[in-house]
Each structure stands twice: as structure tokens, then as C-alpha cells.
Amino acid sequence: MAVSADLAAAEATKVRRAAGRISHPVILGAATLTGLLSLLPLGFVVYIATTSGWGTIADLVFRPKVGGLLVNTLTLMALVLPLSAVLAVALAWLVERTDLPFAQLWSWLVIAPLALPAFVHSYAWNAFMPRFHGLGAAVLVSILAYLPFLYLPVAAQLRRLDPALEETAQSMGKRPAVVFFLVVLPQLRLAIMGGALLIGLHLLAEYGLFVLTRFDTFATAIVDQFQSAYSGPSANLLGGVLVLLCLGLLGLETGLRGTERYARVGAGAARRRGRLSLGKWRLLALLLPLIFAALSLAVPVLTLARWLWSGGAVIWRFDFIMPALGQTAMLALAGAILTTLAAVPMAWLSVRAPGRVQKILEASHSYVGALPGVIIALALVTITVQVALPLYQTVATLIFAYVLMFLPRALVGLRTSIAQAPVELERAAASLGRPPIAAIWQTTVRLAAPGAMASAALVALGITTELTGTLMLAPNGTRTLAMRFWSYTSELDFASAAPYALLMIVLSIPLVIMLHMQSDRVEQA
Amino acid sequence: MLELWGISKSYGDHKGASGVSLFAPSGSRTVIVGPSGSGKTTLLRLIAGFEAPDAGTITLNGRQLEGIPPHRRNIAYVAQEGALFPHMSVGDNVGFGIPRQATDRSRRVEELLEQVGLPAEFRNRRPHELSGGQQQRVALARALAQRPDLMLLDEPFSALDTGLRETMRTMVGDVLRDAGIASILVTHDQAEALAFADHLVVMRDGRVADAGPPQRLYARPADIETARFLGEAIVLASVIHGGVAKTALGDVPVLQDDAERADVLVRPEQITVAAEGNGALGRVLHRSYRGAQWRLEIECRDGGLPEPFSVDVPASLDLRPGDPVRLSVNSEAYVFPR
């Protein structure tokens, strides 16, 4: 998901170039509108904070419960992020740079856990080891579920590094291990930080995983509060703290990232590199990917298989499954189309007419992606209840929430594909007498269509496994796959939940394939 | 003195080098030149130790290099685009090979920058703030810093503009000479090879086609392909009798015993072109203006020359396409060994 976003963003920046000062009022207007709508959740949080009054804030925020959540969240980050970074670098290095047996297979298996929504991972572990919960379980399952977010950019960066750098360092008398720490690792920094940021944001936003591992975070607490008191001030203020944490994490990453530029100096194609021979360590090194695959894939898949087997035919209640599948498909389709359309003006602007206004708009588009679904849901509930009651608990609001949640994902994919369509074609169409919007539509938009389809598919897949926002916003009677799965799991009816888990995994497999292909393309670029 | 004996290296079916033996005298500037895929870069990588040969031995100043990893060879390597470490400043790049404990580290970095013609302030810049030529200068300074026994240069000028390329070539040559470091430069550009080398090695299909001083290789190459690779070559089939070769371009003096069939090499600069007079009859096909000269493309089919050739004539000689010309060879020609 958003890893591809990061990789593609880097690509897009590379291809992007100033296209002169042509103004396109319609496009700019559309982009501004989406930009303003994206700011709704953030505006909601500011509104809550300013209208609640200091007394309420002090009562509801400065209490031991919140302190505990804060400690939990920070401990989780402090353990998951460094461990994931070390593991991802080790795995990526083994797969990309050594003669590890079956490297190609591992490059698939390491990202395959992405096909399982995080809450399916924890469902499997819950069913596999019912007494394994708390911090340990939360850390382990988080690493297993989210490691691909770090692995993908690190592996891509490793492939992209110019082998001449390492060779030169070696010829200057540095041992291979020293070369790794002096030359290779510093250049992985941006990839590691991008991936870690993504995982950090997921840790803040995730609800299902932590409920099942019985580990309290802000997201679980907010949903709990929300379910007991709807849009009560308690949930809203916890939401405010959660937003502060997200912004803090983003700020931290931006600060650490600095203005460094690690791009390859000079043009020209990097030569293919040789692989380091592991020698007698070859089999020992095999243990690392083996253990990771066992924990992240074998455990969930075997657990799921066991429940499917023991459940037999009874659990395949098609009278429930088919409507759930149908509703999920409708929501995913509608959400994907709307999200992609909403992203087009912004994507076009950021490629063709980059500038200050565009930067601000883009930031407002993509900051929403950093806000957890639970915040977006809270905001929309409050706003619909207070301002537009007829929209409260409607499909329209739910789809609007999806658009907000997945806009950044659509934006990045679109931006890359628009950047690949030469601007000269638009100009040629214009010089052949097409009005501006028609010229863009008939050239760039047509050429970007395959990329747009791909990013729409990514959005659809995201909606298919979205749980938190759906739980909070869905109208009565809506039962998506994720919701069905969740209600069975909450009743500890693991067998009945299994078919839904299986369906979600099957539907997510294209995601893994797309991400793998995307990282291959980055290599060729 | 670097010696390569019977070096072979193949990548799957592709032969990178087969049975290459070559010698680079100490303090010399050796250039390995050849078309792409001729195996020249392979040789450089084998010498640097980035790869190991399938067969053969490499010795540097009498020391066998087999099994010695690159970081213990003390052979510097300057990659095509400099390969500066993008995450380090210029100063850190140059100082990379100088031991951290060295007390004169900072002074040496400045000296090295000065040596390659860069001001000392450059040490705080980042590689991406430099132009291509400046990056190459830093790469050279960085390689010099380790005081190598041998400097390997892998097409170091190919990414630069033509004008800059020549300046850099001269600078690199001077710096290496002053430092007394032997160097091996790899290039596919024959003009660059001739300009830089005092020992030239021509590679083709993974083998050494010819090696020696550049003047010898240009004037008396081992075979026709080498002759063509190093410059415009007109090869004339001829009969030799009494020190004179009978060719399509008339009688040409040669230093060669009588032979019924011989291939004679004539370079364009040996040909005199005249509007009239005697000599072989040719015809101007095309001309292009070069300022001081015209470059004429001339065919001489009657004389039995299948291919047209190019030759420069003074700008005052106003020959137009279609005009007949008289051609003669004005100096001694070289006969290829059979």
C-alpha cells in the first residue's frame, strides 16, 4: 500500500519538471475543493480542542488512563520500529545481495504477509496461542504484519545503489563489513525512515490487531469510548491526542530526514552487481527468512486451514457470505472510482504545474492519509450529526470516509503514471485545436489510465479490508466481509470467521503481486 | 610493473577475457582500448580484485595478487562517473582512504584538492553540488589519497563534454606523472587512447589484438582491424617488387620483400589530392566544410578500391562533388604481416 506510495513518490519527483506557468482554473478549483474537504478531519480536531474548554480537556486528557495509553503506544513504537528496521535490512540484504538459496522465492514470501489484514494476523495468533497476549504479542504480530512496509523500500534502495560506490570503498582499503556500515547503511537511511514512519502510523491507527492481542492503544480506547457514548467528548479528545501523536511522528521523520540528498550522483545505468558468497554461512542464513515466513505465513495459513477444516461445510453460510461479498464489492468499487477521480486534478497539478499553491494542496491531501481512520470516522460522525443529520450513517458518508482515507494512495499512483505521459502530447493536442481540458483528457488521462486502474485497484483492496472506519460509520444493516469477520472473532467463533478471512486474503493477493511488480519496475528505472 | 599471464574469465557463455597476457611498466600510462564488449572492463575488474580470473596469474611489483581481496591490494579505482559517496562531503570523500588517526589528515585533504585543481573551500560541499568535471577531480583526489601502487581509471572521462574531456585528460596525466603512480585507463575512444597512452593495448573479443607504444600501433598495427580501429585506414591489395608496391593509388614505396599478394596500409594524411596532374583517377562524392579544411569523400572505383574514403584538403582547394581528382601516396606505406 503506502510503501509503493513512497517509492513511487520518489520516482515522480525525479521525473517531475516545471512546466511553465500555465493556469488551469478548473483543475486548480477541483484540486482546492478536494484539498479543503481533506482538511475536514483536522479541522474537526482543532474545533474540538478549542470548544471543549480547558476544564474538560484537563479532566479527560490528563488522567492515568491516558498516561497508560501513552506509555503503551510509545513502548510499542520503541520496540517495533527498531526491531523491524534491523530485521528488514538483514532480510533485504540477504535476498538482494547474497547467494542465499531461493532468493527469488524469499523476495515474494517476505512481502506476502501484506495479503493478510493485520487483524487477520492477530486472529490467527489468537487462535493459535490463546494465552499469548499483551505487549509481547502486540510487538510480535505488528512486526509480522507490517515488516513488508520497511522491507520493500530498503530492498529497492539496495538494488538501486551504484555498485561502484562499494567497489571504490573497497579499493581504498576498507573491509567489506566496514564498507557496509560506512557506505551502504547511510544510503539506506531514507528508505528505513520512510518505512518506519509508515509502520508507526499504522501502529497508531490499527484497531483490530490490538483488540485481539488485548493491548490497549489510543485507537482501541477511542473505538471503545465511541461504542459506549457515540461522539462523546471523551472519544473526541482522545482523538485529539492521537492526532498530536501522528503529527509528532511526521514531524520527527521530517526533522530526521533533513535536506540530505542521497540520489545517485551522475547519470548512466548502474552495472549489475555480483552477489556476495555466503560460503559456510549459507544454510545458517537461510534460517532468518525461514523463521520469518514460518511465523508470518505458516502460522496464519495453517491456523486458518485448521479452522476451515474443523468448521466443515457448516461455516460456509452463503446466505451471509454472498451479501457480505456483494456489499464489500459495491463499497470498494464506488470508493475506488470516486477516490481516483478526486485525485486526478491534484495529481495532474503536481506533475504539470508544481509550485507553492500545489505544494500546500498536496500536503493537505496527503496529511489525511496520515490520520487514522478512527479520526476520520469520528469527525464525520460529529459533523453529520451536528450539521447534516440526513447524511448520518449513510452509505454516502461511509464512501466519503473511504475517499478521505485512501486519497493519498490514489494520488501517488496517479502522479507516477501522469509523469510518464509526456507533456508534449498535451501541447500537440492543444495546437491541433483542442481546448485545454479536452487536450488533457484525450492525451495524458488516456495514457495514465492503466496506472489509474492500478491505483484504483489498490484503493479497492484497501477498502475491502478496512475495519475501523467501517465499524464506526456503516449504516445499520451493512455487513461487509471485514465486519462479519470481526463480529464472529469478537464472539471467539474462530471457525465461522475463517471463510471471511480466507476471502479477504484471496482478494488481497493482487496487492502483493502489484507491489512486487512495482518494486521490480523501480529497479529498472 | 603489472603483469598479467594467460588471464581468462567468462560469464556463462560470454568470454570476458581469454588467454590475455599483458604488461604495464612501472610509472607508465597504459591504456586499454577496444570496442564495447571487448573485455577491457573485465580486465580492469580482475586487476582491482572485484572479480577473480578463471585462469592465469596477476602480479603487481612481483607480488602475486591471487586470493588477495580488493581492500588489501592498494590499487586505486576511479569509476566511470567518479562514484562519490553521496552522503559525505567532498572532504570526507577525499579523506575516506586516509586513516582516521593520521594527524595531517585535514592538511592532506587540502593538498589533494589543490593537486587536482580545486579550491580548499570545496571540502565542505556535497557531491551533488559539483559539476561532472569537478566530481571527477574529487574522485581522482580521493584515489590519490591512499597513495596507491597502481591507479585504475574506468572510462573516467566518458561522461564529460568534449572540451572538458581534453582538459581533464591533461590534468590527470600530469597529476599521475608528478605523483609517480602507474595507471591503467580503459576507454573505447581511440583518440583518447592515443592521447593518453605511453603504452597502448588494443583489445578485441576478449583477446589482446596488439600492444606497444601508440605511435607504433598507429603506423604499424598487427592487423587490419587494429589499423581501422585506431584511425581512418585505406587498405590496398598490391604486388610488391623491389621495394615498391603496385596499388590502386599508384606505386608506393614500402620496406618489404617481394610478394605476389600483400595488404598495404595507407593513412589519409599520406595521400596527396590534386585537381589535375598524374596519379590515380578518383572522383569527389561529397564534401563538408571544416574551417581550415574541406573533408572530401572520394571514390576510386577504377583503381579497384571498393570503399570510398575521407581525406582532408586545404580550404583553398575548391573541389566540388562530381569533380575528378588525381591521387598519389606521398610517403612510405606499411605492409601488414601475412
Side-chain angles (χ1 to χ4, degrees):
Chain A
M1 52 194 279
V3 176
S4 65
D6 266 23
L7 301 183
E11 287 306 295
T13 324
K14 226 192 295 174
V15 219
R16 194 182 307 172
R17 57 195 150 160
R21 301 256 142 243
I22 321 151
S23 71
H24 289 278
V26 179
I27 297 173
L28 192 64
T32 313
L33 184 66
T34 14
L36 287 177
L37 289 176
S38 326
L39 288 178
L40 273 182
L42 204 59
F44 156 75
V45 170
V46 174
Y47 169 79
I48 291 298
T50 49
T51 54
S52 291
W54 183 244
T56 327
I57 295 182
D59 279 355
L60 290 175
V61 174
F62 299 103
R63 53 187 172 131
K65 165 83 174 157
V66 178
L69 292 179
L70 203 59
V71 169
N72 270 3
T73 306
L74 295 181
T75 320
L76 187 70
M77 298 256 187
L79 288 172
V80 172
L81 298 186
L83 287 174
S84 305
V86 172
L87 189 57
V89 171
L91 281 170
W93 184 78
L94 283 175
V95 169
E96 298 294 336
R97 305 299 285 279
T98 67
D99 60 348
L100 182 79
F102 320 117
Q104 189 58 32
L105 176 70
W106 295 122
S107 78
W108 281 97
L109 291 185
V110 173
I111 65 165
L114 276 184
L116 286 72
F119 52 86
V120 173
H121 274 281
S122 57
Y123 149 86
W125 277 90
N126 209 331
F128 177 64
M129 285 168 63
R131 262 182 284 175
F132 182 46
H133 53 76
L135 179 66
V139 169
L140 178 74
V141 180
S142 302
I143 293 177
L144 297 177
Y146 296 130
L147 191 86
F149 290 146
L150 255 164
Y151 173 85
L152 276 169
V154 169
Q157 180 66 11
L158 269 180
R159 276 196 298 261
R160 231 177 326 190
L161 281 188
D162 184 356
L165 291 177
E166 285 149 72
E167 289 171 356
T168 311
Q170 250 191 311
S171 79
M172 284 192 286
K174 306 285 185 202
R175 280 182 297 115
V178 177
V179 172
F180 180 81
F181 284 103
L182 284 185
V183 175
V184 179
L185 202 54
Q187 301 198 67
L188 298 180
R189 214 183 79 174
L190 290 187
I192 292 174
M193 285 197 320
L197 171 70
L198 206 54
I199 295 185
L201 291 172
H202 274 267
L203 292 179
L204 288 177
E206 179 59 34
Y207 164 71
L209 193 166
F210 297 117
V211 170
L212 289 180
T213 49
R214 281 184 250 165
F215 184 75
D216 285 342
T217 66
F218 281 99
T220 62
I222 292 170
V223 178
D224 281 352
Q225 294 279 353
F226 176 82
Q227 280 168 345
S228 58
Y230 276 82
S231 101
S234 175
N236 287 348
L237 284 173
L238 281 180
V241 179
L242 182 54
V243 168
L244 284 182
L245 284 175
C246 288
L247 295 180
L249 195 62
L250 284 168
L252 190 69
E253 200 259 357
T254 314
L256 287 175
R257 185 181 280 250
T259 53
E260 296 275 350
R261 205 192 98 138
Y262 287 0
R264 207 164 115 74
V265 182
R271 202 167 19 75
R272 297 294 300 180
R273 71 183 69 245
R275 285 174 175 269
L276 185 85
S277 172
L278 290 170
K280 59 183 178 197
W281 301 101
R282 209 158 164 242
L283 290 180
L284 201 65
L286 203 51
L287 277 180
L288 190 65
L290 209 59
I291 291 174
F292 179 74
L295 296 181
S296 65
L297 291 174
V299 167
V301 169
L302 292 179
T303 313
L304 193 59
R306 201 188 78 201
W307 285 112
L308 286 171
W309 178 256
S310 67
V314 190
I315 56 172
W316 291 91
R317 297 200 47 185
F318 286 104
D319 50 334
F320 285 173
I321 294 175
M322 293 322 284
L325 195 60
Q327 285 185 351
T328 309
M330 285 309 293
L331 285 174
L333 192 69
I337 292 173
L338 276 176
T339 311
T340 311
L341 284 179
V344 168
M346 188 63 237
W348 187 88
L349 276 185
S350 77
V351 175
R352 293 289 193 246
R356 192 137 42 104
V357 177
Q358 164 270 329
K359 271 227 178 84
I360 295 169
L361 285 175
E362 195 175 337
S364 52
H365 276 78
S366 49
Y367 268 82
V368 189
L371 290 184
V374 64
I375 299 291
I376 293 174
L378 268 185
L380 291 185
V381 167
T382 310
I383 292 170
T384 49
V385 165
Q386 298 199 348
V387 187
L389 196 57
L391 287 176
Y392 175 62
Q393 282 215 331
T394 57
V395 175
T397 309
L398 182 59
I399 290 180
F400 182 59
Y402 288 147
V403 171
L404 290 186
M405 277 184 242
F406 296 107
L407 198 57
R409 199 188 274 202
L411 190 59
V412 179
L414 268 180
R415 207 162 45 191
T416 317
S417 37
I418 289 182
Q420 282 158 355
V423 65
E424 286 76 15
L425 297 182
E426 274 173 32
R427 296 187 183 144
S431 74
L432 291 170
R434 294 282 182 285
I437 302 289
I440 292 167
W441 186 261
Q442 288 171 6
T443 55
T444 302
V445 174
R446 280 291 170 82
L447 286 170
M453 296 291 282
S455 66
L458 281 179
V459 172
L461 292 170
I463 294 175
T464 305
T465 55
E466 210 286 332
L467 177 65
T468 330
T470 316
L471 280 178
M472 291 168 73
L473 286 172
N476 289 328
T478 307
R479 289 283 178 271
T480 65
L481 291 175
M483 289 169 87
R484 281 276 180 208
F485 171 83
W486 190 246
S487 65
Y488 283 127
T489 308
S490 307
E491 295 157 15
L492 299 183
D493 187 354
F494 292 130
S496 299
Y500 298 95
L502 184 67
L503 279 173
M504 283 187 286
I505 294 172
V506 170
L507 288 173
S508 300
I509 287 173
L511 172 90
V512 172
I513 296 173
M514 272 159 78
L515 284 177
H516 196 275
M517 281 171 15
Q518 218 158 31
S519 77
D520 274 355
R521 257 206 306 280
V522 169
E523 176 185 19
Q524 288 157 10
Chain B
M1 173 94 164
L2 176 79
E3 297 170 63
L4 274 67
W5 290 102
I7 292 292
S8 294
K9 172 80 184 174
S10 47
Y11 304 93
D13 290 341
H14 176 72
K15 281 209 179 307
S18 45
V20 172
S21 296
L22 69 86
F23 315 96
S26 314
S28 74
R29 302 201 314 218
T30 302
V31 173
I32 303 177
V33 66
S36 53
S38 60
K40 51 195 195 308
T41 298
T42 304
L43 279 190
L44 211 61
R45 298 176 58 73
L46 292 172
I47 298 168
F50 302 142
E51 277 161 55
D54 300 336
T57 58
I58 305 174
T59 62
L60 177 62
N61 300 333
R63 180 170 71 133
Q64 263 269 18
L65 292 184
E66 191 183 346
I68 300 181
H71 64 276
R72 297 221 199 86
R73 292 193 178 195
N74 200 25
I75 295 177
Y77 171 71
V78 178
Q80 214 170 83
E81 284 166 353
L84 297 185
F85 304 128
H87 57 293
M88 295 182 188
S89 69
V90 166
D92 288 343
N93 263 287
V94 175
F96 192 84
I98 304 174
R100 222 153 263 286
Q101 311 84 289
T103 48
D104 59 344
R105 202 157 179 268
S106 141
R107 191 179 50 79
R108 273 181 64 194
V109 169
E110 270 170 37
E111 274 176 13
L112 285 160
L113 284 177
E114 194 194 316
Q115 232 177 318
V116 298
L118 291 175
E121 304 91 77
F122 266 58
R123 58 182 309 159
N124 296 321
R125 297 222 183 158
R126 312 287 293 200
H128 69 265
E129 298 169 328
L130 305 183
S131 70
Q134 288 167 340
Q135 287 181 19
Q136 279 300 356
R137 284 171 196 264
V138 175
L140 183 71
R142 184 177 65 177
L144 287 170
Q146 61 188 116
R147 297 191 173 125
D149 296 328
L150 177 69
M151 174 94 71
L152 304 177
L153 303 152
D154 186 4
E155 305 227 12
F157 314 123
S158 62
L160 306 178
D161 300 337
T162 328
L164 188 58
R165 208 180 286 188
E166 221 163 295
T167 321
M168 284 295 292
R169 194 161 62 214
T170 315
M171 190 274 296
V172 171
D174 290 350
V175 167
L176 289 175
R177 193 192 51 233
D178 293 348
I181 296 170
S183 59
I184 297 186
L185 181 142
V186 154
T187 180
H188 63 267
D189 177 346
Q190 48 84 18
E192 183 165 292
L194 291 171
F196 193 81
D198 46 36
H199 182 76
L200 185 60
V201 178
V202 177
M203 294 276 300
R204 199 164 52 237
D205 303 330
R207 296 172 183 282
V208 174
D210 201 356
Q215 297 84 346
R216 203 279 284 153
L217 262 65
Y218 183 77
R220 289 178 282 124
D223 52 36
I224 296 177
E225 277 162 298
T226 305
R228 294 227 155 98
F229 184 72
L230 291 177
E232 175 98 15
I234 302 152
V235 178
L236 306 164
S238 65
V239 177
I240 298 174
H241 187 71
V244 173
K246 294 212 171 298
T247 74
L249 297 178
D251 290 354
V252 181
V254 292
L255 274 177
Q256 181 80 21
D257 296 339
D258 293 0
E260 282 303 308
R261 273 184 59 92
D263 288 324
V264 172
L265 169 68
V266 174
R267 297 287 187 189
E269 58 271 20
Q270 291 180 270
I271 294 180
T272 307
V273 180
E276 45 205 20
N278 39 21
L281 184 66
R283 198 167 64 89
V284 177
L285 285 179
H286 179 80
R287 68 172 181 174
S288 58
Y289 188 53
R290 308 246 150 184
Q293 301 103 19
W294 287 105
R295 174 157 296 176
L296 302 181
E297 203 179 322
I298 293 176
E299 68 167 4
C300 182
R301 268 222 210 107
D302 305 344
L305 259 178
E307 298 285 322
F309 59 90
S310 299
V311 57
D312 291 345
V313 299
S316 55
L317 195 60
D318 188 22
L319 289 167
R320 287 155 196 278
D323 286 354
V325 287
R326 292 290 172 174
L327 305 164
S328 56
V329 178
N330 56 29
S331 54
E332 188 182 281
Y334 167 70
V335 183
F336 287 106
R338 283 217 160 244

